[in-house]
Amino acid sequence: ADADGPSSAGVVDLQAVAVDAAAAFRLRAAERGVTLTVLPSGGPLLISGDRDELERVALNLVGNAVKYTPTGGSVTVSAEHSERFVRLVVADTGLGISKRDQEELFTEFFRSTNPDALTQPGTGLGLSIVRRIVQRHGGSIRLESDLGAGSTFTVRLPLSRVSPAGDSPA
């Protein structure tokens, strides 16, 4: 595997990745009384990358959002694109993350200082891996959160130059 780029690059539809990740947690969300919604993107959002790795990013973010959102809350997953980037956004109405924890959130083995969050099992490895994958794909990940007010993770990845054969601009 090449350390500078995705291990197996192909064309990946980020909208499909978002839909698959949400589908993987639909049952768990329902069991927890959390509303899980994927917003339609109006078509495929193609980027160059390793599908398995990008799915891991989406699964991790959606899984965390479902895990840390109390009953009655909601998780919204969306993929969208601007001229040069596609964004995967996972927003929840969950516990939120304190500013102090946000600074260390993406480091390996980080565990929240929030006692409510600590009742949930986890290794703390997830987000450091997520960030590494995103960076390997030339992207960035951003978090906006306030304690008690939920969290929004935004993964931004460069838009693929490739468009599938027969695809015409909408």
Side-chain angles (χ1 to χ4, degrees):
D2 175 15
D4 296 331
S7 29
S8 63
V11 179
V12 182
D13 175 4
L14 201 63
Q15 176 67 14
V17 166
V19 168
D20 289 353
F25 289 101
R26 198 162 299 295
L27 192 62
R28 190 177 306 172
E31 285 167 354
R32 297 179 63 102
V34 172
T35 309
L36 178 55
T37 311
V38 185
L39 302 181
S41 70
L45 295 173
L46 302 179
I47 55 172
S48 304
D50 179 324
R51 184 174 175 105
D52 290 345
E53 291 195 343
L54 292 169
E55 280 187 342
R56 209 154 123 207
V57 166
L59 286 166
N60 189 289
L61 293 177
V62 175
N64 277 349
V66 169
K67 181 160 83 171
Y68 293 116
T69 298
T71 304
S74 63
V75 174
T76 306
V77 183
S78 58
E80 55 193 28
H81 70 93
S82 58
E83 271 174 40
R84 302 204 321 279
F85 295 98
V86 291
R87 280 189 296 272
L88 173 69
V89 182
V90 179
D92 66 61
T93 60
L95 301 174
I97 299 157
S98 70
K99 296 292 179 228
R100 194 180 99 203
D101 280 0
Q102 286 181 42
E103 291 170 20
E104 295 177 37
L105 191 66
F106 294 98
T107 58
E108 286 189 36
F109 307 116
F110 167 79
R111 294 291 278 140
S112 172
T113 57
N114 179 344
D116 293 332
L118 291 172
T119 61
Q120 300 295 337
T123 57
L125 262 182
L127 286 170
S128 68
I129 292 170
V130 162
R131 185 165 70 172
R132 212 159 34 236
I133 292 172
V134 169
Q135 287 173 340
R136 200 156 56 221
H137 283 78
S140 63
I141 182 165
R142 196 175 80 233
L143 162 67
E144 290 164 61
S145 182
D146 283 298
L147 206 51
S151 307
T152 300
F153 284 91
T154 302
V155 172
R156 200 176 74 160
L157 295 158
L159 201 55
S160 171
R161 309 275 170 274
V162 250
S163 67
D167 190 26
S168 56

